[in-house]
Amino acid sequence: MSRTPVNRAAPQTPHQDLHSEQGALRGEHPGRSRNPVIKVVDLAWLEFEKPDLDRAEVFARDFGFATAARTEEELWLRGTFAGPPCMVIRRGRASRFIGPAFRAAERADLDRLARVTGSTVRDIHVPGGGQSVTMLDPSGLPVRVVHCAEQLPALPEQPPLVLNFGTDQRRTNATQRPPREPSRIQRLGHVVLETPVFARTLDWYLDTLGLIVSDFLFLDGQRGRGPTMAFIRCDQGSMAVDHHTLALHLGPGTGYVHSAYQVTDLDAIGAGGEYLAERGYQRSWGIGRHIQGSQLFDYWRDPDHFMVEHFADGDLFSCDLEPGWAPMSASGLAQWGPPVTRDFLGTNPSPAKLREVMTALRGDNELDPARLLGLMKAMSS
């Protein structure tokens, strides 16, 4: 997790120069829990199953991960920063996302979480050892909270390029030639999840893990029904942290949308993207700069069709900032960059997608025809 102390010298007024167009209206969701069970400090890692670990490891290295540990049945991937691994991939019959693991502030948080939720603290097989509590969120997705006995040591960094800005000319008598190589991953930044029970799932993460909302998005003409997307961060008090560690959005599906991994700078994104393209991987969308979170982004598909993102230069918020509110739209996803693709939006029609929508419309959830039409309109606007 990126973090930095906040300068409080300048006076702050509610929603002045904030992260979205307007703040909450009276009676809208506050974006945080009054008394959460615990407050996690970051994402630890993401868990997947895939049938071909060799192929997964080849892509991981091309994308910029380092291998932390490898057996016949498990592949642990890491970034250059000290801390836990970023991802574990276990051998399975089919490719699927299992769930996220969040990092507890201290070991005692696991005991408190287990006591309140009726779960059990168990040892986990992770490089360096550790313990975890596993729960199900309201979508039915397994969610771990972990405390690791040891942190992985830092690895050598991919240094940022020295840039000239106007009269601030730091590079003279030297050319600029970023190497065509993988964008070296520094750390796991965030995961985005889809759920047809958005409100219940949102409240569960706030009440159980102590996360707080940075930005809400709502559908045009349906703000009174509440938000349909939330960008959610960890609460570290006055310490500024990533704009979002988790993002949730309403939709017919349940589970993984994409995950994001920090790299050094824009040149690392660009040169690393050329490296991936030369090896035949599929870019989903990029390069551009987001609005909510402000990250520079570049999205790719791995060989199992999971979407993964390189990002740099994201926003950092302390606990003082209240949630922003803005309408949801495809055009509102980026400040600049190429037009958003159907692949990124997940709007390519397919029999599986149609079955997913029909199942959701018949289920006990928040996706009714008005919500579905509103989402379709937002993704085409």
Side-chain angles (χ1 to χ4, degrees):
M1 170 182 292
S2 288
R3 56 177 73 184
T4 188
V6 174
N7 180 2
R8 301 177 183 276
Q12 295 188 8
T13 58
H15 306 289
Q16 179 181 349
D17 296 326
L18 260 194
H19 36 105
S20 64
E21 296 179 0
Q22 54 186 312
L25 303 178
R26 184 182 296 274
E28 288 187 318
H29 199 297
R32 60 186 71 195
S33 174
R34 289 186 176 183
N35 187 30
V37 178
I38 64 169
K39 291 186 177 183
V40 295
V41 296
D42 203 357
L43 267 175
W45 59 77
L46 303 177
E47 302 189 7
F48 294 84
E49 284 185 356
K50 296 184 178 183
D52 190 337
L53 296 189
D54 291 334
R55 184 176 70 170
E57 188 171 20
V58 170
F59 174 79
R61 290 176 178 171
D62 289 343
F63 192 70
F65 289 106
T67 299
R70 172 73 194 267
T71 69
E72 286 297 314
E73 300 301 320
E74 287 188 344
L75 170 64
W76 288 89
L77 303 172
R78 62 161 300 174
T80 58
F81 284 4
C86 297
M87 183 187 297
V88 57
I89 305 172
R90 299 186 177 91
R91 190 181 304 279
R93 291 185 176 182
S95 295
R96 66 189 186 106
F97 176 62
I98 304 301
F102 292 85
R103 185 159 58 89
E106 55 187 29
R107 171 61 180 79
D109 283 345
L110 299 187
D111 295 325
R112 177 177 175 80
L113 196 60
R115 184 172 62 254
V116 172
T117 64
S119 306
T120 303
V121 179
R122 301 184 186 277
D123 292 334
I124 51 173
H125 180 257
V126 58
Q131 294 181 304
S132 76
V133 170
T134 303
M135 304 157 289
L136 294 179
D137 74 9
S139 302
L141 189 72
V143 177
R144 285 187 194 264
V145 176
V146 303
H147 186 266
C148 296
E150 298 179 11
Q151 292 194 63
L152 298 172
L155 297 177
E157 288 290 328
Q158 188 173 26
L161 297 186
V162 178
L163 303 179
N164 288 332
F165 298 99
T167 58
D168 182 9
Q169 298 169 348
R170 305 183 185 185
R171 190 185 78 256
T172 59
N173 297 329
T175 58
Q176 197 75 290
R177 302 290 186 271
R180 191 74 59 86
E181 62 182 10
S183 306
R184 205 171 304 172
I185 301 299
Q186 295 175 325
R187 64 185 180 94
L188 168 62
H190 63 259
V191 63
V192 180
L193 303 175
E194 180 177 344
T195 173
V197 286
F198 171 83
R200 295 195 308 239
T201 304
L202 169 66
D203 287 344
W204 185 88
Y205 282 97
L206 306 191
D207 294 338
T208 309
L209 305 186
L211 301 172
I212 57 179
V213 175
S214 297
D215 276 295
F216 282 122
L217 300 184
F218 57 88
L219 296 177
D220 184 37
Q222 297 187 34
R223 180 165 181 172
R225 296 190 62 183
T228 51
M229 186 164 188
F231 296 88
I232 312 165
R233 68 189 186 276
C234 296
D235 182 0
Q236 293 256 22
S238 62
M239 192 68 69
V241 301
D242 291 331
H243 171 271
H244 56 285
T245 301
L246 169 68
L248 296 172
H249 73 77
L250 176 66
T254 297
Y256 182 89
V257 178
H258 77 258
S259 52
Y261 304 87
Q262 181 177 289
V263 299
T264 299
D265 57 14
L266 181 58
D267 277 282
I269 292 175
E274 291 299 303
Y275 185 90
L276 289 168
E278 288 173 351
R279 280 150 183 79
Y281 297 113
Q282 176 194 348
R283 174 178 269 126
S284 180
W285 182 36
I287 299 171
R289 186 181 281 277
H290 279 306
I291 294 179
Q292 275 76 28
S294 303
Q295 298 98 333
L296 296 162
F297 65 81
D298 194 20
Y299 293 91
W300 292 84
R301 295 282 184 180
D302 77 1
D304 297 280
H305 209 62
F306 289 106
M307 191 189 303
V308 287
E309 174 190 1
H310 285 143
F311 81 92
D313 190 35
D315 291 337
L316 301 174
F317 285 3
S318 69
C319 70
D320 305 279
L321 249 58
E322 296 295 324
W325 288 71
M328 177 184 282
S329 69
S331 60
L333 291 172
Q335 301 177 48
W336 57 262
V340 63
T341 64
R342 294 174 68 92
D343 179 71
F344 176 82
L345 294 174
T347 56
N348 288 323
S350 68
K353 176 63 70 174
L354 291 175
R355 286 194 299 271
E356 188 177 66
V357 169
M358 295 306 298
T359 299
L361 288 173
R362 291 194 296 265
D364 180 18
N365 56 57
E366 300 163 37
L367 196 74
D368 56 33
R371 283 304 222 191
L372 179 61
L373 289 173
L375 287 168
M376 293 171 63
K377 179 181 177 183
M379 292 304 98
S380 63
S381 62

